[in-house]
Amino acid sequence: MSVKSAIKKAAGTLNPTKPSSIDMPKSANGGSRVQQGGKTPLKTPQDEAFAFFSGEGDGEKVQVWELWLEEDGGPGEGKDYIRLPPPIKPYILRISIQPGTACSLNGVLKSDFPMDGGIFVRDDWKEKKLPTDISKPIHVDLPISNPGAFCYYIEHDDASAKSGRVVGRKGYFNVDPVIRLPARTPFFPANASSPVEPLNDLSSGAVLPKTNSLTLDSLIILSVFGKWMGKTDEWEAQFAEASRRGYNMLHWAPLQQRGSSGSPYSIRDQLKYDPTLLLKADAADNGLGEIEAVLEVAREKYGLGGVTDVVLNHTAFDSPWLQEHPEAGYSPANTPHLMPAVELENALIDLSSKLASLGLPTVLKSHADLEQLIPHIDSAINNVRLWEYYVFDVQASVKAVAGALEAGSAKEWSGPSVAGKSVDELAQLLKSENLLVNYRAYSARFCSSVDPKLAAGLIKANSPNESTEALASKWGKVLDVLNVDLYRECNEDVAAAKDGILGRIKYTRIEADGPKMGEITKEKPLVELYFTRLPKNEKTSKHAGDALFLANNGWMWAADPLSNFAEYPSKAYLRREVIVWDDCVKLRYGSGPEASPYLWKRMIDYAEQLAGTFDGFRLDNCHSTPMHVGKAIIDAGRRVNPDLYVMAELFTGSEGMDLKFVRELGINSLVREAYNGHDVKDFARLLYRFGVGKPVGSMDSACLSSAEEIPGPYGGAPRQANVTPLSGSVPHAVFYDVTHDNETPLSKRTAEDALSTGALVTFTKAALGSNKGFDDLYPKLLNLVTDNRPYEVQGSVGKEGDKGIGKVKRVLNHLHTEMMEGGFTEGHVHEEGEYIMIHRVHPVTHKGYMLVAHTAFKGMQGRGWVKPIKLSRTSIKYILGTGVSTRLDEWKDDPNMHKGIPSTLTEIPAPEVRKGEDADGMYNEVVVPDVFGPGSIMLFETDMENISPDLDEICTSDADAAFGELDLVDLNVILHRADGEEKDATGGRDGVYSISNYGSLVYCGLEGWMHPLRQIMRTNDLGHALCAHLREGPWALDYVLERLQKQIPDLPRLSKPHAWLQHRFSLIRSTCPAFMRPKYFALIIYTAYKAARRAVVEQCSDFVSSGHSLVHDLALCSVQMYGLVKSASISPSKPVPSLAAGLPHFTAGWARCWGRDVFISLRGLFLTTGNFKGAREHILAFGSTLKHGLIPNLLDSTKTPRYNCRDGPWWFIQNIQDYTKMCPNGLSILDDKVKRRFPADDTWVEWDHARAFEYESSVMELVQEILQRHAEGIEFREYNAGPNLDMDMKDEGFNQKIWVDWSTGLIHGGNRYNCGTWMDKMGSSDKAGNKGLPATPRDGSPIEITGLLKSTLTWLDGLRKKGVWKSEGVQATVDGKKRLVTYKEWAELIQASFEKCYYVPSDPSQDKDFNINSGMVNRRGIYKDVYGTPKDREWSDYQLRCNFTLPMVVAPELFTPSRAIDALRVADATLRGPLGMKTLDPSDSQYRPDYDNSNDGTDQSIAKGWNYHQGPEWGFPLGWFLTAYLNFDRLAGDGKEDPKRTYHFICQALLKVSKHIDNDPWRGIPELTNAGGRYCYDSCNTQAWSASTILDVLEEMYKIEKK
């Protein structure tokens, strides 16, 4: 149907009305539905989602976009705004939170997204309770089926208080609208040939009778002006031209009735269409039907949607409705501080009318003419007496105060004492006490005042004995002081106003680039009018006189967009700082509809009418639109048209402020402009910033998305889903070559540049914008206010068709839409000299298009210099090339029509494409022709044809099969291996991989690569050193394969993963260009890594396999530490995997495997994870070396073990106990036999001596031997004592002695010169005097040994009762008699004495009930670290350390719960750090929290790291503390009433641990940190026991949760 037929048909129907305020009938689910004006029924954001997700599904994967929130429930950095794609098919936004975060404590997700159906109402907060299961991440799935802009936040209980709620930080997610437009025939069909002569092609781009759903990037918008198009029946030719050129959306400048200025943006009546455009100007519907009919033709016949400007900030100065409702504008009546600005302008208007009579020039031709006016301008300003609006009327106030004093009506002063204060002090007090009335209000002359009675009372209190006259005089002086600043302020404002007045006069009347406004008259005064003066007539007579002065709108340089420059306290109008539009009255919305009901209703009606007619809004002057007004207008539009597209002209000067407007208003696109690039480099930067999309070879989508099954959000069947993490969004751009209100290419660069810039813009991943003047090569900016000439419509396609660059735009605009809809999401921008090249590529098919453009900035000539454009392993096919030449000398400014510069498009023959081969394989390179002038372009089709379209799928296939059969030792090689471990396996030949400009990886296995790859994949950081290294060569691929190949003889199962990797790496080598190598390397490594992780988890216990990511990460730590290192085998005769104490310091040889470390680590790393085989092997290996009743601290493959740890045997027994309880059929280990490394008489023999391993014992016998030897007492001197064994230890230190005090049952041991517990730092500095002195000898009864002993005795007594254990106790000499001491007796003895010996009561009066030396107490309410230290160092018993928490875990019955929880709270407040526990109370004089083992100073306390355990924060005691807290808080703390509080406390403490593991290349918990969790250079980066004890507490929580 033609436009004329459509108009005729519309005129014959009932007049349409705006789709306003429709009653919304309730739907079945309690929501509402409304009817769109002329559109499809309005759905709530949930309707389609309800239907889609309640059923069985369509068999396709559901897309899940996952947004992880921070610990406090707020969005992470850069994630406070999320832009989601149009819901062409429903999908899910998943909001995820780590378990146990603060926000999950009785947390509620609140959002104005209608989670349970119904219509969207901004700030109407719907609620969804967060799941309370702390064992897994929290997921809230929000099904999305309709667009909109939504806000959310988390509200939760305050974990630090027993009551109160915390409201979290807000986040925003905007869902793009679905743009539905007619489909078109493609120019470049996916599976067919492109046109041979695309510039002259007649068939492509035809509009089809079916609808496409487009993304925002597919929009190509042409700005048009109705006033330049003629009557509506003339518009069809314009539609045909725009459609032919590939545009699919018209941006209409306002079509409403214009004011007398003629500007479309000065709207006289928002609810009427401009009668000058209409065929039926007097239509009852004010032209709505005619406009809608015409736009329907544009859509259906020409494939053109419509976006219209919405002008909210102002109305035409001659809008008739203003006379009825002047309150809709800003006037002195409602904004009193504007009055002095009105008076100033009145004076200037009056002067303008008198210039001729004063003999002054009325037409300014030079600055000299202006100089003649300046004295008269000064006089006019001075005569207004503006200072009277600022200052106090001193004379009147003095008189009033004197009268109050004389009449005795002074108000008695009740404020601060003022007696004797100076006038300056009194003036300051008046301000500080807020006693000034209308101070700096500027609302009337002398409006600032003070209540005379109050002033009289004040001045009388100041000087009570002075006369009335003196007091009144003094009051006048106080006001004089106040007036000093006010006069100064007035003078500054007047000076600014004068500068503004003179500056605008120069520009508007004298300067060459100004409008040259002509003669100065009363009607055209010296200054542009800041105020519209409504006429005085019958309509306006009912309003106050000052209500008729309405402030005009405008803009200001660098204005705060959140501040209204018309409102108090802004003095922009007085200071003449506004660049005013004097045909537009600024609209006053106030804080809400109640401020101006008529205005709000009118503008809401206006928005609803437009939303029913157009596809979108362009918010004109958005930065000056009050935020709440913008929200209301957009919401009104989206109530009518949910798919309303909103673009905005927004210039806030701040990216952060831009984002605030975008996310809170729900703006879909911001207008950005290519011609803001001031040179080639800057232009390329804009192209990259606003339009590259993702770089070619991006990794995030391919690597980070994962497949999983999700539950049906509304109870429907589970769905297979593709889960993609969200990393935050930036505002979408509608990228204009040039906007309609900016200078033309000829003005800013050259006319020829229109071709190159217009072409480059079409290659960006953004919505595009242009204007007809750009395509037609208009030489100058058209004046949209005064210019009324029509557009010239160009001819059709063909040899003599479209003028300007229209033919090229036709091809490139269509190509842009086809690329955006076809998935060409990756791009590359290259700038070189005068050239810019953009390459767009499809990430799956690897086909692409490349544009080469020679820019045409001023001064460029000829071809310029550019290297051949080289593409590796990529075929290149030439599509078209063209240049443009313009003939400005032939252009004449036609008085009747807009015409462009005469020009000629010259097609460029196919350039030379050279083939070659280099180290990266075959390449093609384009040689730019010799004739390729500025503005010229070439377009190519590219194809990485050797890469299979299913390469991504190949790279990710069959990984589980390749890695699933590996055991944990194999997986240690696959995933980890530190440098020392790898060197051990390869005879010192190979270690970790090193990368130029990055450094060495920390692991040889996949985990080593994953640290840089995680960052690269998350951010697509293809500039990373690893990516550069991969592009330079395939060495990383070689390394991965070769190291596995070398391990296959020892670990033959590695052959499968090796073959899997080799096949995929071979494909990369043979098919991928070097620039694609980083992507596919990352994809393969990450796929292998995930498969290897799964293989670990699947071999682990239910606790691990059902756990969250932290549990999995810690389980991986067990694989880090457990590997086959031949030099550190736990067998002297064959390679057996061993557990490292930590990495990288304890990788191989004698230093790898430590008895104490193994048995502190064994429970968590092996038993909780299910590696019972590894646990058993270590128990038996160390058991074989039992000697002196001790197990060795250093194993050294049992060859040269060292026996110097008093706590080792108790950890050994504790692990045997744990093994029997946690391993299936665990008690059987008690009967396992081990060959004894040493003879029964403890004689030292070499490992291969005939007496070595000559007899055997059962594990049960080993345990009994340990207890018996301790009961009898142990005393020996270490074998090989002396410097060869320990070069730092004094001779006395080699003497070992351990005994039981049978009065308490406690085991004592050690001496001043040795250190037999884990706090085992031996001094080594001669210079500082600590050599041979342990920093923490703990020679007495360390509290953790007591706890372990009690645990052992209780366990054995239990086994004895069940008949499992053969012995009843031990033989001991008690009170001089040797007798049987049963396990039960010994345990009860410890139970009775424990708190008496160790507890330090909070109340000193209770000291008598405990073994306390009150003079030694430093801190109370704690447990001693040691009991029975020799008297010369008795103070060390009372030091607060972290060791008391271990007995709380293994023998909680020793503690009174209330005392225990109080002590734990003290430890939490004083000892707990981010990743560990301080090893000493910070209030202790010996506290030194920073460890430096290389310190060679003279300070004994820190020299050579003597403070190892005197304050640094160790990782593994944190697990003890948390496990103890978990138990005792539920018994006697906050958790007694609400266990969730206990769980949340634990989980919050672990969040820092989890975060550290996530960000640390070693993926573990360090041995120790310095103060506050700071990095310690000398610490192991990942330590076995640090991970183990955290696994312990997590497993304990798992068991509780399971119950």
Side-chain angles (χ1 to χ4, degrees), residues 1336-1359:
T1336 47
R1338 304 182 77 217
D1339 48 332
S1341 182
I1343 192 169
E1344 74 273 20
I1345 292 180
T1346 301
L1348 290 164
L1349 170 62
K1350 175 61 167 62
S1351 173
T1352 296
L1353 294 169
T1354 302
W1355 172 55
L1356 294 183
D1357 186 53
L1359 292 180

Side-chain angles (χ1 to χ4, degrees), residues 119 282 478 550 662 711 764 833 1118:
I119 63 169
D282 57 352
V478 172
L550 299 182
V662 167
T764 58
S1118 73

Side-chain angles (χ1 to χ4, degrees), residues 173-190:
F173 62 94
N174 291 4
V175 181
D176 280 354
V178 180
I179 308 297
R180 296 178 177 88
L181 291 170
R184 301 193 188 191
T185 57
F187 254 84
F188 302 94

Side-chain angles (χ1 to χ4, degrees), residues 348 351-352 355 359-378 497-511 520 525-527:
L348 294 170
L351 173 62
S352 301
L355 291 181
L360 297 170
T362 58
V363 177
L364 304 183
K365 298 179 180 178
S366 66
H367 287 86
D369 289 342
L370 178 58
E371 288 294 325
Q372 294 184 56
L373 302 186
I374 290 175
H376 299 272
I377 292 172
D378 287 338
K498 179 180 174 182
D499 286 346
I501 291 165
L502 296 179
R504 289 304 291 177
I505 293 173
K506 291 175 188 175
Y507 172 71
T508 59
R509 297 184 181 278
I510 299 173
E511 292 178 0
I520 301 168
L526 281 163
V527 291

Side-chain angles (χ1 to χ4, degrees), residues 678-949:
H678 58 266
D679 58 22
V680 180
K681 186 177 290 295
D682 193 43
F683 181 23
R685 178 187 64 82
L686 293 177
L687 291 166
Y688 182 88
R689 180 180 177 193
F690 296 124
V692 76
K694 294 179 180 180
V696 176
S698 288
M699 304 176 188
D700 58 344
S701 295
C703 295
L704 299 183
S705 294
S706 60
E708 68 176 69
E709 185 176 84
I710 63 168
Y714 299 121
R719 304 290 181 89
Q720 293 301 312
N722 183 58
V723 181
T724 303
L726 291 166
S727 57
S729 304
V730 295
H732 181 255
V734 51
F735 198 34
Y736 273 75
D737 35 40
V738 171
T739 58
H740 67 268
D741 50 0
N742 275 333
E743 296 292 337
T744 65
L746 178 64
S747 300
K748 298 197 76 169
R749 299 178 189 170
T750 63
E752 287 76 13
D753 188 74
L755 177 58
S756 54
T757 293
L760 287 166
V761 166
T762 65
F763 261 63
T764 58
K765 188 178 183 297
L768 306 187
S770 189
N771 67 84
K772 182 169 164 55
F774 182 88
D775 290 354
D776 288 357
L777 301 181
Y778 289 1
K780 57 185 180 181
L781 176 64
L782 304 181
N783 189 318
L784 59 86
V785 178
T786 60
D787 200 328
N788 295 308
R789 293 172 294 173
Y791 292 122
E792 178 184 33
V793 181
Q794 302 291 340
S796 61
V797 174
K799 299 285 185 183
E800 304 300 326
D802 251 341
K803 297 179 182 177
I805 61 172
K807 290 170 64 175
V808 181
K809 273 291 193 79
R810 166 178 166 77
V811 177
L812 295 178
N813 281 346
H814 280 102
L815 175 59
H816 172 85
T817 299
E818 291 169 28
M819 285 194 295
M820 296 303 101
E821 291 305 301
F824 291 76
T825 55
E826 297 183 348
H828 175 69
V829 177
H830 175 68
E831 167 263 327
E832 184 177 326
E834 299 174 357
Y835 284 75
I836 296 177
M837 182 273 284
I838 303 185
H839 192 189
R840 294 221 70 85
V841 175
H842 194 289
V844 176
T845 67
H846 307 103
K847 296 180 184 297
Y849 294 94
M850 180 175 71
L851 181 77
V852 179
H854 185 183
T855 62
F857 284 76
K858 292 184 186 298
M860 293 181 179
Q861 294 180 346
R863 174 186 181 274
W865 182 87
V866 64
K867 291 185 295 186
I869 299 154
K870 180 178 178 181
L871 294 183
S872 176
R873 298 193 186 187
T874 304
S875 66
I876 301 176
K877 177 184 175 184
Y878 185 64
I879 296 177
L880 66 83
T882 186
V884 63
S885 57
T886 61
R887 301 181 295 281
L888 183 61
D889 57 330
E890 296 180 15
W891 179 80
K892 292 184 175 56
D893 195 358
D894 191 321
N896 300 312
M897 183 173 289
H898 296 305
K899 289 190 174 183
I901 302 170
S903 61
T904 301
L905 284 174
T906 303
E907 294 196 43
I908 295 171
E912 178 187 2
V913 178
R914 297 196 299 228
K915 294 183 181 294
E917 191 166 343
D918 58 15
D920 192 36
M922 178 276 295
Y923 66 81
N924 285 300
E925 63 180 10
V926 176
V927 179
V928 175
D930 291 336
V931 179
F932 197 74
S936 299
I937 64 165
M938 291 187 291
L939 176 65
F940 301 88
E941 188 175 357
T942 67
D943 188 0
M944 299 177 218
E945 54 194 5
N946 291 328
I947 302 182
S948 169

Side-chain angles (χ1 to χ4, degrees), residues 63-66 68 79 694 698-708 721-728 952 956 1010-1021 1079 1082-1087 1089-1090 1094:
Q63 177 62 49
V64 176
W65 299 100
E66 186 167 30
W68 282 93
K79 295 183 180 180
K694 294 179 180 180
S698 288
M699 304 176 188
D700 58 344
S701 295
C703 295
L704 299 183
S705 294
S706 60
E708 68 176 69
N722 183 58
V723 181
T724 303
L726 291 166
S727 57
D952 289 33
T956 57
M1010 284 308 300
H1011 180 66
L1013 285 177
R1014 282 186 184 94
Q1015 174 65 22
I1016 293 166
M1017 291 187 299
R1018 274 197 296 262
T1019 62
N1020 280 326
D1021 182 12
K1079 171 186 174 177
L1083 185 58
I1084 293 168
I1085 292 293
Y1086 190 36
T1087 299
Y1089 174 74
K1090 289 186 290 184
R1094 285 194 294 272

